[in-house]
Amino acid sequence: MAIIKRIASNSSLKGIINYVKDIEKTSDKILSGKDCTPTNALNKMICTKKVWGKTNKRQYHHIIQSFLP
């Protein structure tokens, strides 16, 4: 059975991007995104937050999906 968690955070976007891209935690072959790549995700997130005036308070929701082997 899959487990899905959603965590709201006020931590930095750069910190979570580095965490998610850490090869010890995540395989390159399962990193993906909507309208972005792992290399440009931080810039896209910052630009989107500026466009919508959401640069303070909650920075992101970290969604985690875990599956049995």
Side-chain angles (χ1 to χ4, degrees):
M1 178 171 75
I3 296 172
I4 301 172
K5 297 182 200 176
R6 187 185 85 190
I7 304 165
S9 180
N10 294 329
S11 299
S12 74
L13 290 172
K14 186 175 183 177
I16 193 62
I17 294 294
N18 289 337
Y19 172 81
V20 170
K21 288 173 39 178
D22 184 351
I23 197 69
E24 296 288 322
K25 299 178 182 349
T26 308
S27 169
D28 278 343
K29 66 183 179 181
I30 62 171
L31 285 176
S32 64
K34 171 78 172 93
D35 299 326
C36 67
T37 65
T39 55
N40 74 1
L42 178 60
N43 188 43
K44 292 272 192 173
M45 288 178 176
I46 290 170
C47 289
T48 300
K49 290 178 79 56
K50 286 179 180 176
V51 165
W52 293 102
K54 301 286 185 174
T55 56
N56 57 2
K57 298 185 182 176
R58 179 179 49 236
Q59 294 297 301
Y60 60 86
H61 286 269
H62 183 176
I63 299 171
I64 303 165
Q65 293 179 308
S66 299
F67 304 92
L68 291 174

